[in-house]
Amino acid sequence: MIAYAWLVPAIPLVAYLLLLALGRRVHEGVAAAIGVLATLISLVLSLMIFVDVAQGGGQLPYLWTWLTFGPGPGHTWQAGFEVNSLNALMLVVVSFVSTLVLLFSRGYMHGDPRFGVFYQYLLLFVFSMLGLVISPNFLQLYVFWELVGLCSYLLVGFWYEKPEAAAAAKKSFVVTRLGDVGLLAGIILLYLATGSFDYDDIARAIQTGGLQIHWIGPQGLATLGALLVFLGAAGKSAQFPLHVWLPDAMEGPTPVSALIHAATMVAAGVYLVARSFALFDASPVALDVVAYIGGITAILGAAIGLTQRDIKRVIAYSTISQLGYMMMGLGVAAYSAAVFHLFTHAFFKALLFLAAGSVIHAVDTQDLGRMGGLWRRMPVTASTFLFGALALSGVPPFAGFWSKDEILASTLAAGRPLLFALGMVAAFFTAFYIFRVFFLTFTGRYRGDRVPRESGWVMTLPLVLLALMALGAGWAGAPFTGYALERFLGEPSGASEAGAGPGVMAISTAVSLLGIGLAWLMYGERATSPEAWSRSLWPLYRLSFHKFYFDELYQAVIVRPAFALGKAFDWVDRRIIDGIVRLAAEATLAVASGVRRIQTGQVQTYGLITLLGIVALIAVSWSLLWGVRS
Amino acid sequence: MHVATLWVVLIPFAAGLISWLAPRDSRSLPRAAALLGSLVSAVLVGAMYLGYDRAAGGSQFAFSRPWFTVGDALADMPLTVTFGFGVDGLSLPLLALTAVVGFTAVWASKGIRNRTNEYYGWLMILLAGLYGVFASTDLFLLFFFLELILIPMYFLIGIWGGAERTKAAAKFLIYRGLSSIGIVVAFFGLAYLAGKIGGDMTLDVAALTRQLHGGAAAAQSAPVAGALFLLLLAAILVEEALVPFHTWLPFAHAQAPAPVNMILGGVVVKTGAYLFLRVAAGMMPAMVGRYAVLVAVIGVLNILWAGLIAFVQSDWRRLLAYTTISHMGIFLLAAASMTPAGLQGALFVAVSSGLLTALLFAGVGLIGERAGTVDMAGLGGLSKPMPYVSGLLLAGALGSLGLPGMGQFVGEVLSFSGSFSVFPRLSAFGIAGILLAAVYLLRAMQRTTFGPTPATKEHLRDGTVGEVLPMVLLLIAVIGVGVFPAVIGHTAGAALAALAAGIGG
């Protein structure tokens, strides 16, 4: 089956082209059926591949030459695909979540005039994302990396007539592009150093000391290369300080947020660091940067999530925070723990988004202040959301508990108590903010004005399936299954981690329950007023509520100066450069005799003069050369 | 003797003459002649592209006759000028670019309604001139065609352009006329140098390349060679509209009609790129090596300068002018590296930028026709009334900012692969231009096609199939290059490798 792995992305691509051919006015049911069927086939194939890999199937990359641009080795680009334990797992996750999201969208997008286009974009995304994970080299990864970015752009801006959506689409593309420029530079550097874009070739070159360019030593190159690659990963995975695009990306339809901005695309950065772990492992500096950026992102995202009033924004900041955990794990060389968390997070975060989508669909608002009391009216949505919230908070035996604890234990084992502390505080925030959302949405009195109804089966079935995963996905890597998932993934050389001992487990469970309890006191029981808390802690509250003023900062420090610079250059262009030119031109024209006639605007006259001018020009240069004849 | 290459030049010329003979405002005959002429010449180019023997390489489909001889032209050396046409790996991609952009531009000219016989006449002569530039195997002939281009361009801008058309036409002419002086002096200077080295003064491209390339290093790097190179470089900067000799291009673009803009930005500007590869890199590799840093600095300066200025443009045509300038900056940075990757990248950028610029101008032209303006301040929300045109415009913008799947991406990766190996620090600045491109192009898209649709734009008609056909063809072409880059890479590989070898050897 592994030899046919290319079919996994190819089938959604075919479905995309089919929908493209069917046009914009395709029947909703047809579009959805084609989409779900295609992703379902991809899911089945992915599962078969996964089983093959688990049984030790071949892992050679299948390659062909894409472009030869010079003689000799090092002047070709390869394309192809590869299958290994990491991307076999990714294939399953991506195709599984995709299938459910495409099914869910049948209900959520029902009635949208561009329903068919929505499915086109989603299928293009699924193709690109699956293509990304089976790419055997950095260059091909970059190709799909940009394509998923394109799909994200198109889908965030799907409701383009909303100015916020249009702005958010551009912002998401530009901010991630900033990281991508670094990634591309890093890829090119590694290529120049090794003559190959291939992950394994580069890893081998690192291990055999073959990584060098004339102007930088091997150690410096490893660090520079790793940091540049990480810049790309940080952009895609919304790591501090490039996290600012992800909350805005919530302007896209909610299924998009679930699929692209929670489960799959934003995890691509984590996947990239994991796939090129050998590179990071060669540079302790780069690993530390990854770890601390991850830690900062984890706490920053969680801290902002505490106070947001838009249900999707809270979950978006939660995604940022959880991606931070994964990066932190990779930074302390806890390779399989990070991938494990990527795995569990994909399910429970997609679940939270889709459940939120179900709520938004029912109440037609994203404002937490206008929800409440939905537990009885939307029992399936509410209970599945609860599963997701428990998994996110890290309450045993839900999925997030096992993977998050492994990362936290690894920070401790790696001798990074500061990171451990950051992770624990973030875990407390996490439990608090997600249950704040839960209580505000599902308990108490309903504060909206539209009568909410439970969503239909196309929307609740994906919720139920994801809820089961949010409960059980973590067991694949839990101690009582002998860390099966971690063993399946294997550890690349240099990676090390610790299983979470009972101590860490106990502390983190206590912290989570504490957070949930506080949320219950404030928003469930109303025993203590959240307003009073925000008043007494107002500087912190405002910092969190205003997202630490990152957007304002970037506006002032980057956007406006760049604009001013552009204006200044434009002025130089129009006034100085063109001014000199005009001066010269007028002086030249004044010398010529026919100045007045030119001004008559008669084009023929003008043309004649031109012709004469050219002839004269040739004649002059000619005689200049020939004039020196002896 | 092959006459195919000759026909490629003659057919558009003949179509131009036929069009001219038609009555003044006759619509159908001139257009039919131009469409047929550009299509047949495009098919011929396609046939040569497919038929070119890549293993053998070199100039093929050649037609060469001695034209005239000047006895003791200079320092007692005779000079023979040949009437020579032919194609090789370097000229074929640019001929193909001319073919695609030429045909689509003719197709897109339907909106031109006055003095159509003259219009299509000039347009076809322009095409003939461009084909001639890329298909000449003698520098004298090449220069002749370079001059020939100026006349139709002048009239096309000056008659069918916007309010300031005569000024823009004059500015175009003055700039390109001045650059012609530099080019002609450089050409004859090269012939003189070749005579000094090899005994024979010649303007034949192959002979010149052979003599100058293989010539004694001392003669090749004589002071006069340095002066000639700098002169040629300055002329090329004007041709490519590079900072600080660039201000003619935004002005010309803002005045010229859309189909003319397609050819101006798509092909005319690229003649400078061709001259750089053919003459500067091909005949004076030692000089390119000596002044590599200068050339690379100019390249980076253009990427950033034009990128930042593009940021604040609100007229689409000026924006696209600066986009082109920025692309040509990448070209220069890449070509200066004189590595196989860099030279390939430069060629890919030249061709892709040409296709994408034409695509974008076609879209902007349609929008201008419908909405009555191409100033972003007066646009917005066009995705709703004009989804297909908006989508194609977006595709062009995404291609221009280097989205994988289109040729520009291949060009940029190759370009920076080449430039990073020689100028790592400069390239770090250059690659930042990729980010600028994303900013200014997506900002323009946001202001044009996204957002609420103003009431005045609600009922604009989308492009008809016939109207969007040029954009679709150009998009297919640029995606073809992006997905199957070997189409160009395999064709030009040997010719560019020979250029790169020039600096190593």
Side-chain angles (χ1 to χ4, degrees):
Chain A
M1 203 53 238
I2 288 174
Y4 296 98
W6 58 274
L7 279 171
V8 179
I11 287 165
L13 177 66
V14 170
Y16 162 71
L17 293 172
L18 189 63
L19 279 188
L20 200 63
L22 288 176
R24 295 170 168 258
R25 312 240 176 278
V26 64
H27 184 264
E28 284 186 10
V30 175
I34 291 173
V36 174
L37 192 66
T39 45
L40 197 60
I41 297 173
S42 288
L43 172 60
V44 172
L45 291 173
S46 300
L47 286 168
M48 289 162 75
I49 291 166
F50 185 83
V51 171
D52 275 7
V53 173
Q55 290 168 349
Q59 303 190 1
L60 275 177
Y62 298 79
L63 298 173
W64 61 88
T65 299
W66 189 25
L67 173 68
T68 304
F69 59 91
H75 288 128
T76 54
W77 288 2
Q78 307 269 336
F81 63 94
E82 66 168 13
V83 174
N84 50 45
S85 50
L86 175 61
N87 68 11
L89 183 71
M90 293 294 292
L91 286 179
V92 173
V93 172
V94 173
S95 53
F96 179 76
V97 178
S98 302
T99 308
L100 296 183
V101 167
L102 264 80
L103 180 63
F104 184 89
S105 302
R106 172 72 180 93
Y108 191 85
M109 297 301 287
H110 171 66
D112 193 286
R114 291 164 76 233
F115 187 93
V117 178
F118 184 76
Y119 269 79
Q120 285 174 22
Y121 291 168
L122 276 186
L123 283 165
L124 185 63
F125 170 78
V126 176
F127 154 69
S128 310
M129 189 66 210
L130 292 167
L132 190 156
V133 295
I134 64 167
S135 293
N137 59 51
F138 275 112
L139 183 66
Q140 196 181 328
L141 169 119
Y142 187 81
V143 168
F144 287 109
W145 184 271
E146 292 294 291
L147 288 181
V148 291
L150 163 70
C151 297
S152 166
Y153 170 78
L154 293 171
L155 285 163
V156 170
F158 186 74
W159 288 317
Y160 57 80
E161 64 277 9
K162 276 170 67 188
E164 300 82 17
K170 185 190 70 178
K171 184 174 176 182
S172 67
F173 196 95
V174 169
V175 175
T176 51
R177 185 80 173 175
L178 174 64
D180 296 352
V181 170
L183 174 59
L184 184 61
I187 291 175
I188 288 175
L189 277 187
L190 293 170
Y191 166 73
L192 291 177
T194 62
S196 171
F197 287 113
D198 195 281
Y199 302 124
D200 295 332
D201 286 350
I202 290 169
R204 261 192 299 280
I206 290 166
Q207 277 144 17
T208 58
L211 190 71
Q212 48 195 323
I213 308 184
H214 60 89
W215 49 270
I216 191 168
Q219 191 57 46
L221 183 61
T223 300
L224 184 60
L227 288 179
L228 286 169
V229 168
F230 180 63
L231 193 58
K236 209 60 132 191
S237 288
Q239 298 294 292
F240 161 85
L242 299 180
H243 63 279
V244 291
W245 67 270
L246 186 60
D248 288 20
M250 297 302 117
E251 292 293 340
T254 306
V256 171
S257 313
L259 178 61
I260 301 183
H261 303 118
T264 57
M265 184 188 83
V266 290
V270 178
Y271 168 78
L272 174 61
V273 175
R275 185 60 189 91
S276 47
F277 189 75
L279 172 66
F280 287 86
D281 189 45
S283 166
V285 179
L287 270 185
D288 272 350
V289 170
V290 173
Y292 282 98
I293 290 286
I296 292 170
T297 308
I299 187 105
L300 183 74
I304 299 175
L306 294 173
T307 57
Q308 299 305 305
R309 288 176 186 159
D310 177 315
I311 184 169
K312 281 182 74 181
R313 297 230 169 202
V314 178
I315 309 177
Y317 279 106
S318 160
T319 305
I320 293 175
S321 168
Q322 296 296 309
L323 291 165
Y325 274 105
M326 297 173 209
M327 286 295 186
M328 184 167 79
L330 287 170
V332 295
Y335 170 89
S336 62
V339 176
F340 182 25
H341 197 54
L342 189 165
F343 173 73
T344 58
H345 175 258
F347 301 117
F348 66 71
K349 190 51 64 68
L351 168 62
L352 286 170
F353 265 119
L354 290 186
S358 176
V359 169
I360 295 165
H361 194 64
V363 300
D364 201 26
T365 176
Q366 295 178 194
D367 185 354
L368 286 168
R370 301 182 53 201
M371 297 178 183
L374 298 178
W375 178 265
R376 249 166 306 139
R377 300 174 203 238
M378 305 181 71
V380 183
T381 303
S383 46
T384 51
F385 189 97
L386 180 62
F387 272 51
L390 288 168
L392 174 64
S393 305
V395 174
F398 287 86
F401 167 75
W402 307 102
S403 49
K404 188 161 69 180
D405 271 17
E406 219 171 289
I407 291 175
L408 289 172
S410 301
T411 57
L412 214 51
R416 297 277 193 280
L418 176 62
L419 289 176
F420 179 79
L422 284 178
M424 275 300 173
V425 177
F428 171 73
F429 287 172
T430 305
F432 175 80
Y433 67 66
I434 199 63
F435 275 89
R436 168 176 171 264
V437 170
F438 178 79
F439 291 124
L440 282 175
T441 308
F442 295 107
T443 65
R445 188 174 46 80
Y446 179 54
R447 302 176 293 276
D449 34 45
R450 190 178 191 224
V451 181
R453 274 207 348 249
E454 180 61 282
S455 306
W457 72 270
V458 290
M459 290 168 73
T460 50
L461 177 66
L463 294 182
V464 171
L465 292 176
L466 283 170
L468 292 177
M469 293 304 282
L471 172 64
W475 303 344
F480 58 84
T481 57
Y483 302 103
L485 190 80
E486 289 88 332
R487 275 190 289 110
F488 169 76
L489 285 169
E491 295 285 345
S493 70
S496 65
E497 59 214 87
V504 173
M505 284 188 179
I507 299 172
S508 85
T509 307
V511 162
S512 298
L513 293 176
L514 216 61
I516 296 171
L518 186 63
W520 182 72
L521 284 178
M522 272 196 207
Y523 299 99
E525 189 71 345
R526 294 266 164 195
T528 163
S529 148
E531 288 75 23
W533 282 69
S534 59
R535 262 197 304 280
S536 58
L537 294 173
W538 69 267
L540 293 175
Y541 175 80
R542 285 190 52 178
L543 216 51
S544 163
F545 186 72
H546 292 285
K547 306 161 244 170
F548 287 75
Y549 298 96
F550 274 101
D551 285 328
E552 290 79 0
L553 183 73
Y554 291 168
Q555 196 69 25
V557 177
I558 299 169
V559 178
R560 268 189 228 122
F563 233 101
L565 211 57
K567 285 261 186 234
F569 285 4
D570 193 45
W571 185 85
V572 171
D573 241 27
R574 288 173 194 258
R575 302 285 152 189
I576 310 278
I577 297 181
D578 234 17
I580 293 171
V581 169
R582 261 200 304 277
L583 210 66
E586 268 155 32
T588 316
L589 284 178
V591 173
S593 52
V595 176
R596 297 247 155 63
R597 302 195 54 173
I598 287 171
Q599 305 295 352
T600 60
Q602 279 193 352
V603 178
Q604 278 83 350
T605 322
Y606 219 156
L608 196 65
I609 292 169
T610 308
L611 265 174
L612 288 174
I614 293 166
V615 172
L617 216 123
I618 299 174
V620 166
S621 35
W622 200 274
S623 62
L624 273 177
L625 277 166
W626 266 254
V628 292
R629 138 170 41 182
S630 55
Chain B
M1 285 288 161
H2 262 280
V3 287
T5 319
L6 193 58
W7 281 118
V8 169
V9 181
L10 286 181
I11 288 169
F13 200 78
L17 290 183
I18 293 171
S19 157
W20 224 306
L21 293 174
R24 188 178 156 96
D25 286 321
S26 123
R27 298 287 301 281
S28 48
L29 177 64
R31 182 167 168 82
L35 277 174
L36 193 67
S38 57
L39 183 64
V40 172
S41 52
V43 169
L44 261 178
V45 169
M48 288 198 291
Y49 205 106
L50 294 176
Y52 183 75
D53 183 347
R54 286 153 177 84
S59 180
Q60 297 178 18
F61 303 102
F63 178 93
S64 180
R65 292 274 159 79
W67 197 1
F68 58 88
T69 306
V70 184
D72 44 351
L74 191 59
D76 284 333
M77 290 183 287
L79 173 71
T80 301
V81 172
T82 54
F83 186 72
F85 292 94
V87 300
D88 68 357
L90 191 53
S91 57
L92 272 173
L94 288 154
L95 284 168
L97 170 71
T98 312
V100 176
V101 174
F103 175 71
T104 52
V106 171
W107 187 284
S109 294
K110 204 161 179 177
I112 303 285
R113 285 162 219 280
N114 64 323
R115 297 166 76 174
T116 38
N117 63 330
E118 289 173 61
Y119 173 82
Y120 285 107
W122 284 127
L123 200 61
M124 295 313 286
I125 288 170
L126 174 62
L127 262 188
L130 287 166
Y131 278 130
V133 167
F134 299 131
S136 297
T137 55
D138 189 284
L139 289 186
F140 184 83
L141 199 58
L142 193 158
F143 178 72
F144 169 78
F145 284 116
L146 216 48
E147 290 297 286
L148 180 63
I149 293 170
L150 303 188
I151 303 164
M153 270 312 297
Y154 174 80
F155 286 111
L156 286 167
I157 300 174
I159 299 177
W160 291 273
E164 291 187 90
R165 54 184 179 272
T166 41
K167 262 187 170 169
K171 196 166 184 178
F172 167 83
L173 199 66
I174 291 168
Y175 265 95
R176 300 283 291 216
L178 286 174
S179 87
S180 292
I181 300 180
I183 289 169
V184 79
V185 172
F187 281 5
F188 284 107
L190 283 174
Y192 171 78
L193 262 188
K196 281 282 202 188
I197 298 166
D200 263 340
M201 242 173 95
T202 179
L203 283 168
D204 180 74
V205 170
L208 259 181
T209 308
R210 204 165 41 242
Q211 289 181 26
L212 291 172
H213 221 148
Q220 218 198 95
S221 56
V224 61
L228 284 176
F229 174 78
L230 291 177
L231 188 65
L232 183 67
L233 180 64
I236 287 171
L237 294 185
V238 178
E239 300 266 311
E240 287 189 77
L242 288 170
V243 176
F245 306 125
H246 63 294
T247 51
W248 64 271
L249 187 67
F251 194 36
H253 270 320
Q255 297 303 320
V260 175
N261 273 334
M262 291 169 70
I263 299 186
L264 173 59
V267 191
V268 175
V269 169
K270 271 67 182 180
T271 55
Y274 180 68
L275 285 182
F276 189 93
L277 294 176
R278 177 66 83 199
V279 183
M283 299 177 188
M284 333 172 76
M287 286 300 114
V288 179
R290 185 197 284 176
Y291 293 107
V293 175
L294 172 70
V295 176
V297 166
I298 296 174
V300 171
L301 175 72
N302 272 281
I303 297 172
L304 299 178
W305 183 272
L308 279 167
I309 292 183
F311 204 46
V312 296
Q313 299 306 313
S314 75
D315 183 322
W316 260 99
R317 294 167 303 193
R318 289 183 64 89
L319 172 83
L320 294 181
Y322 284 107
T323 309
T324 307
I325 294 171
S326 189
H327 286 167
M328 289 297 97
I330 300 177
F331 170 90
L332 219 51
L333 173 64
S337 76
M338 287 295 270
T339 57
L343 290 166
Q344 282 263 5
L347 184 64
F348 269 100
V349 166
V351 172
S352 311
S353 163
L355 294 170
L356 289 162
T357 306
L359 165 57
L360 287 163
F361 270 119
V364 168
L366 263 178
I367 287 175
E369 207 172 283
R370 294 285 199 276
T373 179
V374 292
D375 196 307
M376 293 160 210
L379 297 169
L382 291 186
S383 279
K384 199 166 188 182
M386 305 176 71
Y388 285 103
V389 173
S390 299
L392 287 163
L393 193 72
L394 177 63
L398 290 167
S400 267
L401 61 83
L403 188 80
M406 291 192 238
Q408 183 75 16
F409 167 74
V410 178
E412 284 176 3
V413 176
L414 283 170
S415 290
F416 288 112
S417 297
S419 74
F420 263 104
S421 66
V422 183
F423 325 103
R425 282 173 200 84
L426 276 173
S427 301
F429 286 99
I431 206 166
I434 300 187
L435 180 66
L436 290 178
V439 176
Y440 61 73
L441 284 166
L442 293 186
R443 183 166 176 276
M445 288 311 300
Q446 185 193 349
R447 295 179 64 185
T448 307
T449 62
F450 288 45
T453 313
T456 52
K457 307 278 184 287
E458 284 267 347
H459 301 291
L460 297 182
R461 231 161 18 89
D462 202 1
T464 62
V465 175
E467 283 171 327
V468 297
L469 184 81
M471 301 176 77
V472 173
L473 288 179
L474 289 161
L475 184 63
I476 291 173
V478 78
I479 288 179
V481 173
V483 177
F484 307 105
V487 171
I488 290 181
H490 191 43
T491 305
L496 293 173
L499 293 188
I503 199 158

